[in-house]
Structures are given as C-alpha cells and as structure tokens.
C-alpha cells in the first residue's frame, strides 16, 4: 500500500502539468462549437501518448536504445537533429521579440491565433505538441515508472496502474469541463485569469530551449568524431 500511496502522490503532482492545463484553457476559451468533444480528444491524445510511452518503457527500453544508436550512426540524421536543436534554441530567444506588442508576449499571440474556431486537426497538433514539450519535464511520471520497475510489478498490476495514473493526471481538466458545462460564464472568467498567468510565464520558452539543447547535443555527438 505504501508503494501505491507514493504513486498516487506522484500522480497528484502530475495534475499540475502546465501543458495539459494550458491546453484545456485554450480549447474552452475558443469560439468553437463542441468544445467538450475537442477537449476530450485533446486529453485522450496526450494521455494516450503517455500511456504508450509507459508501456514501451515497461516492456524494455533496449529496442528504443538500439534504434537511437542506429540513428546516431547516420550523419544525415545527426545533421537533422542539429538543425532542429539550433532552430528550437533560436525560437526560444526569438519568439518574445517577434510577438512583442502592446497586447502581451508570445503567449498572448498564441491565444489570439487560436481564439477562433479550431478544427480536430489543430487539436491533434496541440495535443502532440503539449506531450512532446511536457514529457521532457515529467519527473513524477518517470519516477512512477522507476518505482514500478524497481519493485518488479507484474503485468496485470503495472498496466492498470499506469492507466489509472494517466486518468488522475487529467482529473483537473475533467473537473474544469464539468464546471464549464454547468456554469460557462463563471468558469470562463477563471480560465481567463489562468490564461493571463500563462501569458506572464516563460516556462514553455525554457522547455523549448531545453529540448533544443537535447537535440543539439545528439546531433553534435553524431557529427563530431570520438
């Protein structure tokens, strides 16, 4: 019980994910119809990606490591990683300058662009982007996988554990959705306040820069001879 208590605590920590909460605010503040369907699609994609990642990890990361080793041996792939890394680092410094105006920073511009109706295709892009940005910083999630591995839990136990963990991660978003359905105007006021906090935050820019550094390092290791 102590192990699952720790895992529950880690799941509660993961409910504070800025990407998932931010995506929830984005979708509910748009002018789109069927916001509930779009939000549920967003949550299914993000948590589905986390679940698949956890399953891959638990079944053994050796195939994944071997794949990366093969990719690192390709100079072409290394150059691609290098370009991606440099681009992300450049964007992390340039986005505030490009979007700086009287209305706010980069986040204000993002909210303005997605303020209208958004298609399911855009939802998929937002969901995958949120996952890719957040997964590098999901320390509680990786800790949970580490605990399961360390205690050598069997498949019938760790599989539902990961599934329940992912559900707990999005409980705040589901609560917000229920509140929105019951009282849209009051909930929108609170979401706008949360949106304004995100606008004043530069956490995502740090995440973009950090991801760029990782890609840059992988690219350099593949190009520079050892």
């Amino acid at each position: 019980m102590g192990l699952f208590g720790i895992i529950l605590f880690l799941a509660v920590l993961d409910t504070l994910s800025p990407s998932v909460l931010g995506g929830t605010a984005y979708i509910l503040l748009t002018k789109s119809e069927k916001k509930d369907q779009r939000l549920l699609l967003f949550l299914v994609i993000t948590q589905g990606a986390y679940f698949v990642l956890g399953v891959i990890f638990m079944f053994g990361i050796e195939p994944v490591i071997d794949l990366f080793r093969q990719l690192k041996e390709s100079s072409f792939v290394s150059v691609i990683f290098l370009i991606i890394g440099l681009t992300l680092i450049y964007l992390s410094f340039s986005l505030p300058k490009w979007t700086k105006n009287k209305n706010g920073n980069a986040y204000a511009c993002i909210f303005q662009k997605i303020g209208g109706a958004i298609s399911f295709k855009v939802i998929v892009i937002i969901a995958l982007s949120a996952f890719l940005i957040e997964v590098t910083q999901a320390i509680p999630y990786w800790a949970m996988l580490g605990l399961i591995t360390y205690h050598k839990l069997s498949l019938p136990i760790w599989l539902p554990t990961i599934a329940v963990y992912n559900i707990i991660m999005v409980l705040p978003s589901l609560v917000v959705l229920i509140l929105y359905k019951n009282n849209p105007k009051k909930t929108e006021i609170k979401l706008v306040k949360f949106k304004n906090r995100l606008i004043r935050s530069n956490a995502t820019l740090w995440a973009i820069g950090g991801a760029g550094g990782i890609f840059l390092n992988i690219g350099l290791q593949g190009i520079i001879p050892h």
Side-chain angles (χ1 to χ4, degrees):
M1 293 300 294
L3 171 62
F4 291 104
I6 296 174
I7 292 176
L8 176 62
F9 174 74
L10 293 173
V12 172
L13 285 180
D14 256 338
T15 61
L16 302 176
S17 165
S19 293
V20 175
L21 292 175
T24 300
Y26 289 164
I27 295 168
L28 292 181
L29 288 174
T30 60
K31 300 176 182 178
S32 301
E33 298 180 354
K34 301 180 180 179
K35 296 180 183 180
D36 53 346
Q37 295 182 15
R38 284 164 167 73
L39 177 57
L40 291 176
L41 175 63
F42 169 80
L43 296 178
V44 167
I45 294 174
T46 55
Q47 298 315 113
Y50 269 111
F51 181 75
V52 171
L53 175 66
V55 171
I56 292 176
F57 182 91
M58 292 305 302
F59 274 123
I61 60 174
E62 285 300 324
V64 179
I65 295 176
D66 291 340
L67 175 61
F68 273 99
R69 285 173 179 169
Q70 294 176 9
L71 291 176
K72 286 176 64 176
E73 294 176 357
S74 171
S75 299
F76 175 76
V77 174
S78 297
V79 172
I80 296 298
F81 280 143
L82 183 65
I83 294 174
I84 293 175
L86 290 173
T87 301
L88 291 176
I89 293 174
Y90 177 72
L91 288 175
S92 68
F93 287 99
S94 301
L95 278 176
K97 298 178 182 178
W98 291 349
T99 59
K100 187 176 181 181
N101 52 56
K102 62 181 180 180
N103 295 323
N105 60 10
Y107 301 94
C109 181
I110 292 173
F111 275 112
Q112 291 169 3
K113 288 183 177 180
I114 67 172
I118 50 178
S119 64
F120 281 99
K121 181 179 179 180
V122 174
I123 292 295
V124 173
I125 295 175
I126 294 175
L128 293 178
S129 299
F131 167 74
L132 291 174
I133 292 174
E134 193 69 25
V135 72
T136 59
Q137 308 172 65
I139 297 177
Y141 194 80
W142 291 113
M144 178 269 297
L145 294 176
L147 286 172
I148 291 177
T149 303
Y150 177 79
H151 289 275
K152 299 180 180 179
L153 300 182
S154 61
L155 175 63
I157 297 178
W158 65 254
L159 189 62
T161 298
I162 294 177
V164 172
Y165 187 102
N166 287 337
I167 294 173
I168 294 175
M169 284 179 65
V170 296
L171 283 181
S173 295
L174 296 176
V175 171
V176 170
L177 176 60
I178 294 173
L179 294 174
Y180 181 84
K181 297 283 286 185
N182 293 330
N183 196 334
K185 292 184 179 180
K186 185 176 180 179
T187 306
E188 281 187 358
I189 293 175
K190 295 184 179 298
L191 287 174
V192 168
K193 292 180 180 179
F194 176 71
K195 179 195 72 173
N196 292 334
R197 291 181 183 178
L198 286 180
I199 288 175
R200 294 191 296 268
S201 171
N202 62 354
T204 301
L205 294 180
W206 281 103
I208 292 175
I214 294 174
F215 279 107
L216 178 63
N217 180 61
I218 294 175
L220 289 175
Q221 288 184 358
I223 295 176
I224 299 176
H226 299 284

